[in-house]
Each structure stands twice: as structure tokens, then as C-alpha cells.
Amino acid sequence: MSVSACLDDLTTTGTLASGHTVEADWAGLTSAGLPVPGRVPGVQVDGYFPDSSTSNANHGWNHDAQFVLRMPDHWNGGLVVAGAPGVRRQYANDRAIGDQALAEGYAFAATDKGNTGAAFYTDGVRPGDALAEWNTRVTQLTVAAKGALTRHYGRPPARTLAAGLSNGGYLVRWQLENRPWLYDGGVDWEGTLWRADGPNLFTFLPPALRAYPAYAAGSAAAHQSILDAGFAPGSEFLWDYHYRVYWDLTQRIYREEVDPSFDGALAAGTPFCASGTPSCDADYAYASRPASVARAVERISLTGRIGKPLLTLHGTLDTLLPITRDSDVYDAMIRDAGRGALHRYYRVEGGNHVDGLVDQYPDRLRPLGPCFRTAFDALAGWLRGVRPPASATIARPAGATPAELATSCDLS
């Protein structure tokens, strides 16, 4: 099922006005200062693939596996494919990724990954099914989008790039490991690391949840426990927000997806339960759970065996996926797999998981949106034979204002 429309502007400026995007899908992911591109006329196709779940109500379809494909009139011959971050829907990448891709002449395709919302874990039959579907849906969209571009423009895309942030970054990693023949390269913006033997969400979120109430009451020992879990010194000003908005919900819903037996008949546990409460996720001990749990995680785990060039960005103050438990580990995995020559890794000082809090803390946080745009162009150059800057920790430029950081990022 699909519908198409000729639009005067495929970027978020135009699609907001015409009703061809949903701002709620991408709200909170970027800073207000991220530059807005000029008008890009073209064709937008909205549709869905056959699916049995119905969590996505966009277009009144009540049908998951929804996608959007945007084809600019002035096409550069390339395609960018993205999966939604978090458990958001297909328009979630419009501002952070789609605007950049379209402004440079790429066609842009994005998927809701086949299930959406905080109850995504209700999709599927076996533990891990909903997460595994995400990878299948990105592959499916990539193949379908290539065919659609061939029909629309009369020639296949000359270059296909994968791009994504958070769970979308995980999807880039997985596709380049498992379906490299479909892509020429990818940009991974703080992708989620899944490893059956850890680290993963379940090894660092429970100790943070367990310690946070005592930390908030002034306990130095609890403070150290959160640092020991992997959260960066200097990120303390972000802990309260992430405890309330991210840590508790993320632990409960993803744990329910891979280990539903932990809390019996409960659906995703008890929000903000105190340590010691029966079946409390703050006390979840991943290493002690049955082997079936690790097998569920193994289904979606990463190996580091990428088959095409990959650029990874990660903020040093990421307070959802701590950098030392995620991209530092994944970079080492790639090198251990003998694929280091295919990877560039940029640790961005002062970057958080997403840029939604940058405007609240402009002197303490650095937006990663401009760094993604620089990395995106660096990947395109790499594929033309221009080596990108070496992997590095990107320091905040001396004297740079928040306005300057919102519009540019030098990775060298």
C-alpha cells in the first residue's frame, strides 16, 4: 500500500506546511540552531509493507512497517536509508538526517522498523522478535527503495548509504555487518550496542536505577555506583532528566522484550520501583538470568565485522548509552575483527545522546547534529577516494559560541 504526492519542498520546512511529516516523530532530537536547508522539490511516497502489528496510526492506516520515500527532482544518484531512533515512527529522522540528505540531492527512505511506541514488545511471538524485525524492515526498505528509484529516474542508485542515530545507529551497524552488499557505507550516530555477553542496556541501566534515589538524597557511595556503571563524570547535571525520562522506561520495555518472564504477569514491570520490590527492574541482574535471555539478545547482537566503510559519532556525555559501554567497545570490536581500516570513530566532547537538551545547557553541551552532517560529507568523500580525518576525540573549539557549534563541526 502506498500513496504519492508531488511537493514543492521535501524538507521539513515544506512537509510541515503541507502535512507530509509529523513533528512529534522528530521533536527533541535536534537543537533549535541546526541549520535549515533551502527548498527541495520532488515526490514523496508514503506506504507500508504487509505486517500483523498495528501500533502506527499514521495516515489512519493503523498498520506498522510504514515508510516514507522522498525523491528530489534534482537527484544526485544517491540513496540514504534510515531506521527510526528509539521506538519512534518513520518521520523521526526527517530533521536530523533527511533534511541534510535531500539538500545534497540524495533520495531519502525511512522506516518505522515494524513496531513503534513504548509497548513495542507486544509485537512478535518469541523474545527478541520485535527487535529482530527492525533489521528485516531496514533491509526490506533498502531493496524496495532501490527498485522505486530505478523506476522513477530510469536508472538505479549509484550509491546507497545507511544513516541513523541511537537505535537507528544500531541498524546501520547491523546492516553493514550482515547486508554489506546493499550499501556503500554508513554513518552511525551513537548506535545502541547489543552483545549477548555485555555490555548492553541491561548491564548499566539497572545499577544506575538502583543507585539514583540515594544519589539524589546526597549519597557519595551512590554517586560512585552510577559512575562505576559507566556514566561519565561531569554528566551529573543530566542524571535527573535521564532517570525520569529515559533510564527507567528504557530498562523496563527492552527487558520485557527479551526477558518477559522476569516480572511474571506484569507488562514491563513497575515504573520507578524501589530496590527490593519484587520483580523490580532496578534489581535486574542480566548475568544471572536464564540462558534463554542471552540467546534472545544474541539474535540481534553485533560482531564488529563490518563490510563497508563506517563513521561513528558518540558524545562523551551520553547519559543514555555511556560512551565507555557502547561506541568505545564497538570500535574495539571492529579492530579485533580485523576491520579497523573501514572505520572512523569520533568521540565528541560535551555531546549527549540526542541534542534536545542543548538549548537548555548551551554552555555545557555540544550538539552532534552538525558533526553528523560533517561526517556524512566525509563518508561521501571517502567513497570518492578522499580519506576522512583519523579517528579522534573532538574537543570543543576554544572560544566557540553555542551559535557557532550549532552550525559547524570540524572532525579533524
Side-chain angles (χ1 to χ4, degrees):
M1 171 67 181
S2 66
V3 295
S4 61
C6 295
L7 303 180
D8 292 333
D9 186 7
L10 296 172
T11 74
T12 51
T13 300
T15 53
L16 270 176
S18 67
H20 287 84
T21 189
V22 178
E23 186 173 7
D25 285 7
W26 41 269
L29 296 179
T30 59
S31 65
L34 188 67
V36 176
R39 188 171 66 91
V40 180
V43 175
Q44 174 162 321
V45 179
D46 289 281
Y48 62 81
F49 298 106
D51 196 4
S52 60
S53 56
T54 60
S55 62
N56 190 343
N58 268 336
H59 306 290
W61 286 333
N62 296 312
H63 196 292
D64 293 339
Q66 291 194 37
F67 66 85
V68 61
L69 171 62
R70 297 190 176 100
M71 300 179 288
D73 289 347
H74 304 288
W75 186 43
N76 70 0
L79 168 65
V80 176
V81 182
V87 289
R88 299 181 184 228
R89 299 180 297 185
Q90 68 268 30
Y91 302 120
N93 290 298
D94 283 5
R95 183 77 181 93
I97 297 173
D99 278 358
Q100 168 79 2
L102 291 163
E104 296 194 11
Y106 289 88
F108 176 69
T111 172
D112 70 1
K113 310 192 300 289
N115 43 72
T116 67
F120 79 96
Y121 53 81
T122 60
D123 194 14
V125 176
R126 294 185 298 157
D129 275 355
L131 293 172
E133 183 182 358
W134 295 359
N135 296 313
T136 300
R137 295 302 181 183
V138 173
T139 300
Q140 181 182 45
L141 178 60
T142 302
V143 173
K146 288 186 176 190
L149 296 184
T150 301
R151 292 188 295 273
H152 183 74
Y153 294 111
R155 57 190 173 97
R159 177 173 297 160
T160 302
L161 309 179
L165 64 143
S166 190
N167 282 336
Y170 156 73
L171 294 167
V172 173
R173 296 173 177 183
W174 192 95
Q175 294 292 317
L176 295 191
E177 287 184 8
N178 295 278
R179 305 289 186 270
W181 56 88
L182 290 176
Y183 307 92
D184 296 283
V187 182
D188 153 32
W189 177 344
E190 299 177 325
T192 309
L193 179 62
W194 288 109
R195 283 167 53 99
D197 56 353
N200 57 47
L201 296 175
F202 311 124
T203 63
F204 55 77
L205 286 180
L209 286 170
R210 191 161 55 249
Y212 184 79
Y215 161 75
S219 168
H223 174 245
Q224 187 60 50
S225 293
I226 298 174
L227 295 178
D228 291 344
F231 294 91
S235 67
E236 288 88 348
F237 69 102
L238 299 168
W239 290 0
D240 177 66
Y241 177 87
H242 284 76
Y243 173 74
R244 290 183 290 106
V245 175
Y246 282 114
W247 292 352
D248 178 76
L249 179 65
T250 300
Q251 165 63 27
R252 289 187 295 103
I253 64 177
Y254 287 88
R255 191 272 308 150
E256 185 72 16
E257 165 63 6
V258 302
D259 191 1
S261 66
F262 172 73
D263 56 357
L266 292 174
T270 303
F272 302 102
C273 54
S275 177
T277 303
S279 301
C280 180
D281 274 278
D283 294 325
Y284 188 73
Y286 175 75
S288 300
R289 297 300 296 158
S292 59
V293 178
R295 287 197 297 270
V297 176
E298 181 66 32
R299 295 177 60 197
I300 54 149
S301 287
L302 297 168
T303 65
R305 294 191 293 271
I306 55 174
K308 290 293 174 63
L310 174 67
L311 279 72
T312 294
L313 302 167
H314 206 121
T316 61
L317 295 185
D318 190 324
T319 309
L320 177 58
L321 304 179
I323 191 169
T324 60
R325 302 297 189 267
D326 190 284
S327 292
D328 285 1
V329 178
Y330 190 59
D331 179 57
M333 289 169 60
I334 291 173
R335 286 186 278 107
D336 290 345
R339 311 297 173 91
L342 291 173
H343 194 220
R344 295 292 186 276
Y345 175 34
Y346 305 109
R347 307 172 87 253
V348 182
E349 285 193 351
N352 187 22
H353 188 61
V354 295
D355 290 348
L357 294 178
V358 166
D359 298 316
Q360 185 175 343
Y361 301 105
D363 297 319
R364 304 172 80 173
L365 292 176
R366 178 175 186 174
L368 270 74
C371 298
F372 168 82
R373 294 185 170 188
T374 302
F376 184 86
D377 290 339
L379 174 62
W382 196 359
L383 298 177
R384 295 192 304 268
V386 180
R387 285 185 170 274
S391 299
T393 296
I394 311 302
R396 187 185 184 105
T401 67
E404 291 169 337
L405 293 174
T407 58
S408 64
C409 180
D410 185 358
L411 298 179
S412 59

